[in-house]
Amino acid sequence: MTKEALIVGASGIIGSAAADVLHNGGWKVWGLARKAPQRGSTFPVVADLLDPAGLADALAGLDPSHLFFSSWLRQPTEAENIRVNSAMVKNLLDALRPAGSVRHVALVTGLKHYLGPFEAYGKGALPQTPFREEQGRLEVDNFYYAQEDEVFAASEKDGFNWSIHRPHTVVGKAVGNAMNMGTTLAVYATICKETGRPFHFPGVAAQWDSLTDMTDARLLGRHMLWASTTPDAANKDFNVVNGDIFRWSWMWTRIAQWFGIEPMAFDGQVRPLQEQMANDAEIWRNIAGRYELAESDLSRLASPWHTDADLGRPIEVVTDMSKSRKLGFLDYQSTDDAFFDLFERLRTDRIIPPVGSET
């Protein structure tokens, strides 16, 4: 088997983790992004997925056997999300068609497949938890469905296999990522520690009390590799989570303990991070300057809107992975350790203050 892959979104949480998994497995990896990924595990390809001509030029001469797609552009409406994000997939597959080399396409979407898009997130008639792949699509417009349809149409035309990967909230390291709960909570906890501000849970009672799960980016990368190289997994959709379940009432204490701060018990008042962190840009610049951190721009580290969306859901969100387990993917990752591993990497890379820092 030719082990040459193209990763789209290579500078993001998912793409960078997948690049490391593939590189460590002996693959040649090209990483496509609008800016060159600063990673030794990829050969950079700089291209705009919305520029078909420029994209074709950038990909000329490449002949990847596997494509891993984990990129999207947030738009103000779901109609625009569909138009823009489906065009990105279509343009890429069109640009790769002349080489005729692609044998598998792995597309990463997420649990909004079951929960609905941002405009109708967690509303209306939703499938019962735990979410299972056979529950299918909601009767609502969703850019995830549009991206899938572009993959399915190209597969029929070009003859490659595909896999769809639906993680829950992904824990991993990337700077400038639009959906980044792990780093957002690390920055929030750091600000609370440095200022003496209470470490308040920003979500609702349903998330504080109910069971939930998450996805480590490293496990997701291994799952993408497994599905794209396992014949029995071809042309299937998969949920992808760590394998444990927890309540935020427990996890919030675990995160607070790691940072050496006091967790505040949820008192029924919802305190969104967008409100709590609205005026924190200057505070973070001061913290970054004091500890000589690598990134002083709060907006490149924290995505409060996304964390608020996840922790503000009025329903339990638990994901079934039986489909993957039955086919042989047995990897497991405890979610608290996923957070702690990320926090350690953020310290090592001086994204958050080093160990031993004090108020």
Side-chain angles (χ1 to χ4, degrees):
M1 182 185 69
T2 302
K3 299 172 70 172
E4 299 187 7
L6 173 65
I7 297 178
V8 179
S11 59
I13 290 174
I14 297 169
S16 59
D20 289 344
V21 168
L22 291 166
H23 177 75
N24 292 337
W27 288 62
K28 180 177 182 179
V29 184
W30 289 288
L32 189 152
R34 283 174 293 173
K35 296 181 179 179
Q38 301 300 312
R39 302 184 67 81
S41 56
T42 61
F43 297 95
V45 178
V46 179
D48 183 348
L49 293 173
L50 294 175
D51 175 10
L55 184 60
D57 289 342
L59 294 175
L62 270 64
D63 55 354
S65 57
H66 290 65
L67 170 64
F68 299 86
F69 194 102
S70 61
S71 181
W72 74 292
L73 289 175
R74 188 185 183 194
Q75 304 299 312
T77 67
E78 192 59 19
E80 279 297 291
N81 273 327
I82 290 170
R83 183 186 67 81
V84 170
N85 289 286
S86 63
M88 289 164 56
V89 176
K90 183 179 187 303
N91 292 343
L92 179 67
L93 294 173
D94 287 348
L96 289 170
R97 182 167 295 117
S101 62
V102 175
R103 299 206 302 273
H104 190 98
V105 173
L107 172 68
V108 180
T109 60
L111 293 196
K112 286 190 287 297
H113 182 94
Y114 308 106
L115 289 163
F118 290 118
E119 291 180 358
Y121 193 53
K123 300 176 182 177
L126 301 177
Q128 188 178 44
T129 57
F131 295 137
R132 292 181 170 87
E133 295 90 347
E134 62 266 24
Q135 290 167 327
R137 296 180 175 184
L138 302 175
E139 294 295 328
V140 63
D141 291 336
N142 191 324
F143 83 84
Y144 284 173
Y145 307 160
Q147 287 185 312
E148 288 181 348
D149 288 342
E150 293 294 346
V151 171
F152 300 156
S155 173
E156 287 290 326
K157 181 182 296 185
D158 300 333
F160 58 73
N161 291 328
W162 53 264
S163 55
I164 308 297
H165 305 259
R166 298 179 188 134
H168 195 169
T169 303
V170 178
V171 180
K173 182 181 178 293
V175 174
N177 195 272
M179 300 193 296
N180 195 341
M181 179 188 282
T183 302
T184 297
L185 293 181
V187 168
Y188 172 58
T190 298
I191 290 173
C192 289
K193 181 175 183 177
E194 291 292 314
T195 63
R197 184 189 304 176
F199 187 56
H200 283 297
F201 179 70
V204 299
Q207 295 307 308
W208 182 256
D209 295 325
S210 299
L211 293 172
T212 193
D213 48 31
M214 294 181 72
T215 307
D216 188 298
R218 299 166 298 182
L219 182 142
L220 176 54
R222 296 193 297 272
H223 189 270
M224 294 164 69
L225 175 57
W226 165 79
S228 66
T229 56
T230 301
D232 288 344
N235 302 328
K236 291 181 174 63
D237 53 350
F238 295 104
N239 297 330
V240 192
V241 288
N242 288 335
D244 64 347
I245 55 176
F246 63 91
R247 303 179 200 276
W248 273 104
S249 55
W250 175 81
M251 186 65 77
W252 200 247
T253 298
R254 295 285 286 156
I255 292 174
Q257 288 173 340
W258 196 93
F259 282 95
I261 55 180
E262 186 71 23
M264 300 299 294
F266 181 65
D267 61 4
Q269 181 179 344
V270 180
R271 300 175 173 87
L273 281 182
Q274 277 198 302
E275 296 178 7
Q276 292 194 58
M277 301 179 72
N279 300 311
D280 284 347
E282 184 61 28
I283 292 173
W284 185 256
R285 275 193 292 272
N286 290 336
I287 293 172
R290 190 182 320 145
Y291 296 108
E292 299 182 343
L293 302 183
E295 181 56 68
S296 62
D297 184 350
L298 181 64
S299 68
R300 286 182 48 75
L301 298 177
S303 51
W305 68 272
H306 174 254
T307 300
D308 287 341
D310 270 14
L311 299 183
R313 293 178 297 209
I315 60 171
E316 176 184 85
V317 180
V318 181
T319 315
D320 181 76
M321 261 195 79
S322 298
K323 191 173 183 179
S324 292
R325 304 302 190 209
K326 290 176 180 178
L327 290 173
F329 184 81
L330 305 178
D331 285 26
Y332 167 88
Q333 170 67 58
S334 63
T335 302
D336 55 339
D337 285 341
F339 274 120
F340 301 159
D341 289 350
L342 170 63
F343 299 158
E344 289 287 0
R345 282 183 284 158
L346 295 176
R347 273 185 173 170
T348 298
D349 294 344
R350 301 197 71 84
I351 302 296
I352 61 175
V355 64
S357 60
E358 300 294 340
T359 302

